[in-house]
Amino acid sequence: TLRVTWDLDKAEKSGYEHFMLKEIYEQPKAIQDTMASRISQEQVDLSQEISLSSQVIQQIDKVQFVACGTAYHAGLVGKYVFEDLTRIPVEVDIASEYRYRNPIITERTLVIVISQSGETADTLAALREAKKAGATVLAITNVVGSSVAREADQVLITWAGPEIAVASTKAYTSQLIAIYLLGTYFAQMRGTCTVEDAKQIVSELTRLPQRVEAILEQSAKIKDFAAQIVNHEHLFFLGRGLDYAVALEGSLKLKEISYIHSEAYAAGELKHGTLALIEEGIPVISLATQRAVYEKMVSNIQEVKARGAYLLGLTVEGDQELQKSVDAVLHLPETLDILSPVLAVVPLQLVAYYACVARGFDVDKPRNLAKSVTVE
Amino acid sequence: TLRVTWDLDKAEKSGYEHFMLKEIYEQPKAIQDTMASRISQEQVDLSQEISLSSQVIQQIDKVQFVACGTAYHAGLVGKYVFEDLTRIPVEVDIASEYRYRNPIITERTLVIVISQSGETADTLAALREAKKAGATVLAITNVVGSSVAREADQVLITWAGPEIAVASTKAYTSQLIAIYLLGTYFAQMRGTCTVEDAKQIVSELTRLPQRVEAILEQSAKIKDFAAQIVNHEHLFFLGRGLDYAVALEGSLKLKEISYIHSEAYAAGELKHGTLALIEEGIPVISLATQRAVYEKMVSNIQEVKARGAYLLGLTVEGDQELQKSVDAVLHLPETLDILSPVLAVVPLQLVAYYACVARGFDVDKPRNLAKSVTVE
């Protein structure tokens, strides 16, 4: 007799070993779905969802991104994106800090709260604080009907689908897409980018799903790299500008599931302290995707290399230089510098995933952590 | 014959084993000297040094603190102090990030650069960038005639005296004093604090030297605590608000001289990832000096305690609660919450010092680091 055995658990994971891996591989679709209905005639059109008049958008004189954990790291990318595209000054704040520090808020302040679940306690409290002080609050969340979505003045949903793994992946990249859409939309309304600039961003945005696919196809190489770090208890991430924001997120992923004590540093700060910790064999993951600071970054990479660090370098397709200074290099598909975080984070998610599996820990349910932090 | 032997090296250190220890003990004098000529009739008077008219000070609509390393941590305190006292929105930026990120600067922006040596390459480049963009630049530096002092529009010297040890101590606390003086002066000019409020701050400022002395007298207890952590390779600092800024500085001190991989966290962010790293015996240094977030902080402390962390708690004189939740407690003398960083950092400096000595490393010249980073 033939016995057909079903693995119900694995069926829910569509054949993937873990929800986290499944969600990493769902990113092309999540990104695509988050963009789909919001691009029209090569421009961003959010007018069906965001009911802020052109005049109100013109009058905003400060943006505050407020969030926790991974969503906070999306906010750090948001600062670069919004300041670059809209020239509105941006602050980024940890929700549990923001709500207690008597932040300066006026009626011309736009507060953008980010929460995958829409139920993060500190983020919700910050939202209420900001509304009370007269700000306009816009929420980026993955859950329609969540508390954050209900209480915010404006909502932009990320269409990432349910995220089950504690370590957030597709929610983060979808949050980034929401930020790019919003930044470009505001820039169009404020006239701070030309129609041509907006077209270029939109055109590159729509190519991101296939580019994420191309990175996922390099997973064997990333797994090999992860195998090199599994016996280490310390690890550093380095980057400048947007790469620093991504480094922080890569470090958090590794920390939360593999329990390797990793820390991300703005590469220029190395010499002001952390360089003391770099010794023979310490793994350092270095991002060098930002063309404007590429030379500076290579020089920081050579500094840690000279102290014996074991280096993985991330750079852009076509760069033949970085491999001379690192032990392993990974080339990311070409895109605009400003969009690079969506691509650069993917190998870092995979490094964390493979390191966790190799170390034998529970990928989807790391110790001490809950999926959404609904208590303070 | 009687032979008198001289230890020239030790003589230079006035009898202290290391420059760092000498400089830690010089803090009451450094603080006193930085305040002395700037307080008159219970108000702050900087009119002899800062030639900004009351009108110019009124018109400032944004402050940007820009610095590296320890001075950057002083800037983080600056954000709280300036926003609280003057209600001017403040950004804090790492100099090596600021100079490359096309920051938003107008003629109403005041950029405050902080550099002990006045020769920090990235800080100097940021200063030039800010001046070119039309900002007013004010420098807080310890070296009269340094590049930063010469090129800034306005200068406030910290009178800490020469700092020799690579790990900065008295320069940091003097930078804090400069920030309090400046914040109070601006608040007086802008009318955002009452004469009575200013009097109270001034009165508490003048008591800080004797309060730092009182902490130094507890050094044996701090040494005992340091002895408990020397065999650990991981350590965390936790704090909220101003305590978080101080935690970052305490962590940097420990990292740069003892080579223990320590990391500081905003306590509310714990549950969003780092809690996964807390296991049996990991030392956690927790600051609970800020009354407004004391209860929240105690609850974070209990979370890490429940996971087996070995806890040192810092709190304020008279608090009999914290000791129930920690393994060792240190009481700081009473002061205003806003001034607490000047006191709270001192035990953290001593922990780093004693840990370094016990681990047998070179206190004054940690590996890989230079006193002032004059290259990029």
Side-chain angles (χ1 to χ4, degrees):
Chain A
T1 55
L2 181 73
R3 277 192 64 172
V4 181
T5 56
W6 288 90
D7 183 341
L8 190 65
D9 184 50
K10 202 155 175 180
E12 278 179 352
K13 294 175 194 151
S14 322
Y16 289 98
E17 282 296 321
H18 301 98
F19 282 110
M20 184 184 179
L21 193 63
K22 170 174 176 273
E23 290 161 6
I24 289 173
Y25 275 81
E26 282 172 349
Q27 290 181 107
K29 180 172 183 330
I31 293 171
Q32 177 59 39
D33 291 350
T34 299
M35 282 189 294
S37 64
R38 290 155 175 170
I39 289 174
S40 143
Q41 297 180 311
E42 299 175 80
Q43 301 284 297
V44 176
D45 183 4
L46 301 177
S47 60
Q48 299 301 308
E49 299 166 85
I50 305 293
S51 62
L52 295 173
S53 67
S54 162
Q55 201 195 343
V56 168
I57 291 176
Q58 293 280 357
Q59 282 170 352
I60 292 165
D61 69 357
K62 184 163 63 177
V63 169
Q64 294 177 329
F65 282 96
V66 183
C68 302
T70 289
Y72 168 71
H73 294 155
L76 293 176
V77 172
K79 177 176 169 76
Y80 285 87
V81 172
F82 263 70
E83 291 202 343
D84 192 35
L85 296 179
T86 71
R87 302 306 284 161
I88 308 171
V90 178
E91 293 176 16
V92 195
D93 237 311
I94 294 168
S96 64
E97 290 291 311
Y98 179 85
R99 56 182 291 209
Y100 297 114
R101 77 168 171 79
N102 191 12
I104 298 171
I105 297 167
T106 74
E107 288 182 3
R108 295 174 65 183
T109 305
L110 174 68
V111 175
I112 303 180
V113 296
I114 312 176
S115 166
Q116 187 280 129
S117 68
E119 304 295 343
T120 315
D122 281 318
T123 306
L124 189 56
L127 176 160
R128 289 172 181 160
E129 190 78 21
K131 271 184 82 169
K132 213 169 59 188
T136 299
V137 178
L138 187 153
I140 296 176
T141 177
N142 200 33
V143 180
V144 182
S146 61
S147 302
V148 160
R150 278 184 284 110
E151 297 194 25
D153 301 305
Q154 306 290 330
V155 181
L156 200 58
I157 297 289
T158 50
W159 296 106
E163 194 179 61
I164 309 295
V166 168
S168 175
T169 53
K170 63 176 182 173
Y172 171 77
T173 41
S174 303
Q175 286 159 1
L176 295 185
I177 298 298
I179 287 167
Y180 293 123
L181 293 171
L182 210 51
T184 307
Y185 184 63
F186 275 41
Q188 291 167 192
M189 298 289 241
R190 291 171 65 104
T192 50
C193 78
T194 64
V195 172
E196 282 313 306
D197 289 341
K199 270 190 188 174
Q200 201 199 1
I201 293 170
V202 166
S203 150
E204 292 294 330
L205 274 173
T206 57
R207 287 189 177 88
L208 287 177
Q210 77 202 54
R211 287 175 174 159
V212 171
E213 291 286 5
I215 297 168
L216 294 172
E217 282 161 18
Q218 297 188 65
S219 68
K221 195 169 175 181
I222 298 164
K223 191 174 177 178
D224 285 349
F225 178 79
Q228 302 295 316
I229 66 168
V230 291
N231 294 321
H232 287 271
E233 295 301 325
H234 305 271
L235 187 147
F236 294 93
F237 285 81
L238 295 180
R240 285 173 177 259
L242 279 167
D243 280 341
Y244 172 44
V246 177
L248 285 162
E249 173 57 9
S251 174
L252 178 61
K253 282 301 88 114
L254 194 67
K255 201 175 333 205
E256 53 184 348
I257 60 169
S258 80
Y259 317 143
I260 295 172
H261 187 182
S262 72
E263 194 177 0
Y265 253 80
E269 278 290 275
L270 256 190
K271 285 205 263 294
H272 296 279
T274 304
L275 203 54
L277 290 183
I278 304 294
E279 49 183 357
E280 197 63 33
I282 292 254
V284 175
I285 299 179
S286 297
L287 289 79
T289 78
Q290 300 294 301
R291 291 166 180 87
V293 289
Y294 179 82
E295 296 301 330
K296 299 280 170 193
M297 195 58 217
V298 170
S299 129
N300 296 136
I301 286 170
Q302 287 165 350
E303 279 160 17
V304 291
K305 185 71 199 152
R307 267 110 196 157
Y310 176 79
L311 272 144
L312 170 67
L314 255 61
T315 185
V316 176
E317 223 166 55
D319 172 22
Q320 300 301 319
E321 282 307 305
L322 193 68
Q323 57 214 57
K324 297 174 189 162
S325 310
V326 298
D327 299 283
V329 69
L330 205 78
H331 288 91
L332 302 173
E334 186 82 39
T335 189
L336 298 177
D337 279 18
I338 201 175
L339 301 182
S340 161
V342 178
L343 303 182
V345 77
V346 177
L348 307 186
Q349 295 168 341
L350 285 169
V351 165
Y353 173 78
Y354 288 123
C356 173
V357 172
R359 286 163 68 96
F361 297 126
D362 186 341
V363 174
D364 290 330
K365 290 200 181 126
R367 68 187 181 204
N368 303 346
L369 302 180
K371 177 60 183 163
S372 33
V373 181
T374 54
V375 294
E376 290 170 23
Chain B
T1 54
L2 182 71
R3 278 191 62 173
V4 180
T5 57
W6 290 89
D7 182 340
L8 192 63
D9 183 51
K10 202 155 175 178
E12 280 179 349
K13 296 175 194 151
S14 321
Y16 290 98
E17 281 298 320
H18 301 97
F19 282 111
M20 184 183 177
L21 193 62
K22 171 173 176 273
E23 290 159 6
I24 289 172
Y25 276 81
E26 281 172 352
Q27 291 183 105
K29 179 172 183 333
I31 293 170
Q32 177 59 40
D33 291 351
T34 299
M35 281 189 296
S37 62
R38 291 156 174 167
I39 287 172
S40 143
Q41 295 179 311
E42 299 176 82
Q43 300 286 295
V44 177
D45 183 3
L46 301 176
S47 60
Q48 299 300 308
E49 298 166 86
I50 304 294
S51 61
L52 295 173
S53 67
S54 163
Q55 201 194 344
V56 168
I57 291 175
Q58 294 279 356
Q59 282 170 352
I60 293 166
D61 69 358
K62 183 164 61 178
V63 169
Q64 295 177 328
F65 282 96
V66 182
C68 301
T70 289
Y72 168 72
H73 295 154
L76 293 176
V77 173
K79 177 176 170 74
Y80 285 87
V81 171
F82 264 69
E83 290 202 341
D84 192 36
L85 297 179
T86 72
R87 299 307 282 163
I88 308 172
V90 178
E91 293 176 16
V92 196
D93 237 310
I94 294 168
S96 64
E97 290 291 310
Y98 179 84
R99 57 182 291 209
Y100 297 115
R101 78 167 172 80
N102 190 14
I104 298 171
I105 298 168
T106 73
E107 287 182 3
R108 296 175 65 183
T109 305
L110 174 69
V111 174
I112 303 181
V113 296
I114 312 177
S115 166
Q116 187 279 130
S117 68
E119 305 294 345
T120 315
D122 281 318
T123 307
L124 189 55
L127 176 160
R128 289 172 182 160
E129 190 78 20
K131 269 184 83 170
K132 214 168 61 188
T136 300
V137 179
L138 187 153
I140 296 176
T141 177
N142 199 33
V143 180
V144 182
S146 60
S147 302
V148 161
R150 280 184 282 108
E151 296 194 26
D153 301 305
Q154 306 289 331
V155 182
L156 200 59
I157 297 290
T158 50
W159 296 107
E163 193 178 64
I164 309 295
V166 167
S168 175
T169 53
K170 64 177 181 172
Y172 171 77
T173 41
S174 303
Q175 286 159 1
L176 296 185
I177 299 298
I179 287 167
Y180 293 123
L181 293 171
L182 211 51
T184 309
Y185 184 63
F186 274 41
Q188 289 167 193
M189 298 289 243
R190 291 170 66 102
T192 50
C193 79
T194 65
V195 173
E196 281 314 306
D197 289 340
K199 269 190 188 171
Q200 200 199 0
I201 294 169
V202 165
S203 148
E204 291 295 329
L205 275 173
T206 57
R207 287 188 178 90
L208 287 176
Q210 78 203 51
R211 286 174 176 161
V212 172
E213 291 286 5
I215 297 168
L216 293 171
E217 282 162 17
Q218 296 189 65
S219 67
K221 195 169 175 183
I222 298 165
K223 192 174 176 179
D224 285 348
F225 177 79
Q228 303 294 317
I229 66 166
V230 291
N231 295 321
H232 287 270
E233 295 302 325
H234 305 271
L235 188 146
F236 294 92
F237 286 81
L238 296 179
R240 284 174 177 258
L242 279 166
D243 280 341
Y244 172 43
V246 176
L248 284 162
E249 173 57 9
S251 174
L252 178 62
K253 283 299 86 102
L254 193 67
K255 201 175 334 205
E256 56 185 346
I257 60 170
S258 80
Y259 316 142
I260 295 172
H261 187 181
S262 70
E263 193 176 1
Y265 253 78
E269 278 290 276
L270 254 190
K271 285 205 257 307
H272 296 278
T274 304
L275 202 56
L277 290 182
I278 304 294
E279 47 184 356
E280 197 63 33
I282 292 255
V284 175
I285 299 180
S286 298
L287 289 80
T289 78
Q290 300 294 302
R291 289 165 181 89
V293 288
Y294 178 83
E295 296 301 330
K296 298 279 171 193
M297 194 58 217
V298 170
S299 132
N300 296 136
I301 286 170
Q302 287 165 349
E303 279 158 17
V304 291
K305 186 72 198 148
R307 268 112 197 155
Y310 177 79
L311 273 144
L312 170 66
L314 255 63
T315 185
V316 176
E317 225 165 56
D319 172 22
Q320 301 302 318
E321 282 307 305
L322 194 67
Q323 57 216 55
K324 296 173 191 164
S325 313
V326 298
D327 299 284
V329 70
L330 206 77
H331 289 92
L332 301 172
E334 185 82 40
T335 187
L336 298 177
D337 279 16
I338 201 174
L339 302 182
S340 160
V342 177
L343 304 182
V345 78
V346 176
L348 307 187
Q349 296 166 341
L350 285 169
V351 165
Y353 173 78
Y354 288 122
C356 174
V357 171
R359 285 164 71 93
F361 298 125
D362 186 341
V363 174
D364 290 330
K365 289 196 181 131
R367 68 187 181 204
N368 304 345
L369 303 180
K371 177 60 182 164
S372 30
V373 182
T374 55
V375 292
E376 291 170 23

